[in-house]
Amino acid sequence: MKRLCIGLITLIAVVSLSMPVNAVQKPAKKIKIGVSLPTQRDERWVRDAQKMKDVAKAEGIDLKMQVCDNDASKQMSQCENLIASGIDILILAPHDATSAAAIVDNAKAAGLKVISYDRLVLDSDVDLYVSFDNYEVGRLMGEYLVKRVPKGNYVVFAGAPTDNNAKLYREGALSEIKPLVDKGDIKIVSDQWITDWQPTIAMNLTQNALTANNNKIDAIVAPNDNTAGGVIQALEQVGLSGKVLVTGQDAEDTAVDRILKGTQSMTVFKNTKEQAEDAIHAAIKMINGEDVGATSKVNNRKKDVPSILLKPIVVDKSNVDEVLIKSGFVKVK
Ligand code: BGC
């Protein structure tokens, strides 16, 4: 008994000596993540925003999100406010790939790391890029069309010229189409950029292309689902919807409806929910000084940016049920 008491007293003494005075555990500081998104006009960005909020909530993180409505200077000032509000890291999906480099400079000057989300910020010292293989997204569109329409009149639409992704989608699509142009089998009758990815511009440009070619158009590269909607509206006006192949990307609910109806040929599915989750998790790891598990590098003209790139999947009538409906990713009417 005596020995047990001495033992206990020694143990208590050792433990109390090794503990600092007033060793009350402070609650860990809540991590603050700032997110700047370009728009909520395309459904995909609504999904990204929701998923980021859900993941942040589950992880007990304070998420501050701003949307700049396709306005580069608004994005600049929103990010200045985020930085001033004491965020620990910035997740930035730039409206303008080039001018957003100044946002990265500001964040860096405040000692923050920056994750370039979906769209790459060019000429900047971003720390991580979380996106898809975007050249591949475009290549999949081009491949889909040339396999089904190896000859004929093509319209090639690209997204916003301010978005680095739009360039990659276009290059990817042309890598499949151009060899057949050189062979003389395909003629590109219209090749246009669509400011801010606006569907009404896509509709107007399609109307112009139809008129200029006596409605003789066989395939149209629409760079995303929202612009595909505009393209298909123009085709409907001349009774050609479902007769001309039209691409897309994003697996928007309305695009899936059109695929089932046969007016849109395909979409490229990018699991943006997974992408949003990856970005939040990478942000937490970076704040904690852990490795984020980047698997590739993408050059942004200033550096090779460590990157996490997810895989895009082609979806058309043949697999839409399997990939998008049964999985619950989209809800169709
Ligand atoms: C995204 C697309 C989106 C487009 C327009 C691109 O940067 O990668 O998924 O459709 O922006 O918002």
Side-chain angles (χ1 to χ4, degrees), residues 39 42 44-45 118-119 163 165 169 197 224 249-250 270:
T39 180
D42 300 288
R44 69 143 294 170
W45 295 107
D118 197 69
R119 302 176 174 178
D163 179 352
N165 283 348
Y169 300 143
W197 298 86
N224 73 351
Q249 71 163 307
D250 291 337
K270 303 186 300 184

Side-chain angles (χ1 to χ4, degrees), residues 181-257:
V181 172
D182 295 343
K183 232 174 113 186
D185 289 349
I186 286 176
K187 188 173 169 210
I188 298 180
V189 295
S190 173
D191 183 358
Q192 307 272 350
W193 297 84
I194 299 174
T195 312
D196 292 348
W197 298 86
Q198 287 182 51
T200 45
I201 298 183
M203 185 179 79
N204 294 339
L205 291 173
T206 308
Q207 288 165 338
N208 296 347
L210 286 163
T211 311
N213 293 282
N214 299 319
N215 291 352
K216 286 199 183 67
I217 287 174
D218 303 288
I220 301 181
V221 177
N224 73 351
D225 287 345
N226 216 355
T227 51
V231 165
I232 291 161
Q233 241 178 295
L235 290 172
E236 261 156 17
Q237 290 159 2
V238 291
L240 283 179
S241 75
K243 300 195 174 105
V244 178
L245 266 76
V246 179
T247 62
Q249 71 163 307
D250 291 337
E252 291 198 349
D253 292 1
T254 47
V256 171
D257 280 338

Side-chain angles (χ1 to χ4, degrees), residues 284-319:
I284 299 172
K285 285 187 180 152
M286 282 162 88
I287 292 166
N288 293 332
E290 292 164 26
D291 179 29
V292 297
T295 44
S296 31
K297 284 189 188 299
V298 177
N299 190 278
N300 76 344
R301 301 198 301 219
K302 180 170 187 136
K303 66 187 261 195
D304 287 332
V305 184
S307 305
I308 297 174
L309 300 182
L310 305 173
K311 213 172 152 298
I313 298 168
V314 170
V315 171
D316 68 0
K317 227 176 195 166
S318 68
N319 63 349

Side-chain angles (χ1 to χ4, degrees), residues 33 55 59 91 115 276-286 292:
I33 300 181
V55 178
E59 299 285 352
I91 297 178
I115 298 178
E277 186 165 15
D278 282 358
I280 298 292
H281 285 156
I284 299 172
K285 285 187 180 152
M286 282 162 88
V292 297

Side-chain angles (χ1 to χ4, degrees), residues 35-145:
V35 178
S36 172
L37 299 181
T39 180
Q40 292 282 280
R41 260 195 244 162
D42 300 288
E43 193 178 294
R44 69 143 294 170
W45 295 107
V46 180
R47 289 183 188 147
D48 294 68
Q50 192 53 53
K51 187 67 182 179
M52 283 185 185
K53 286 178 190 160
D54 292 347
V55 178
K57 197 169 171 210
E59 299 285 352
I61 276 165
D62 190 359
L63 193 81
K64 291 189 180 303
M65 186 177 283
Q66 297 286 329
V67 178
C68 76
D69 304 317
N70 293 328
D71 179 339
S73 51
K74 191 169 170 186
Q75 187 161 41
M76 179 75 180
S77 61
Q78 286 180 335
C79 288
E80 272 169 13
N81 291 340
L82 283 174
I83 296 166
S85 77
I87 53 168
D88 297 300
I89 192 163
L90 178 65
I91 297 178
L92 170 62
H95 166 65
D96 185 315
T98 319
S99 71
I103 299 176
V104 179
D105 289 346
N106 285 349
K108 293 263 135 174
L112 302 183
K113 292 211 159 122
V114 183
I115 298 178
S116 193
Y117 185 75
D118 197 69
R119 302 176 174 178
L120 190 58
V121 184
L122 298 172
D123 307 313
S124 70
D125 188 20
V126 283
D127 299 278
L128 181 71
Y129 181 41
V130 179
S131 191
F132 288 81
D133 180 342
N134 293 311
Y135 180 88
E136 178 66 5
V137 170
R139 197 198 64 75
L140 290 170
M141 292 181 195
E143 181 186 58
Y144 191 92
L145 295 183

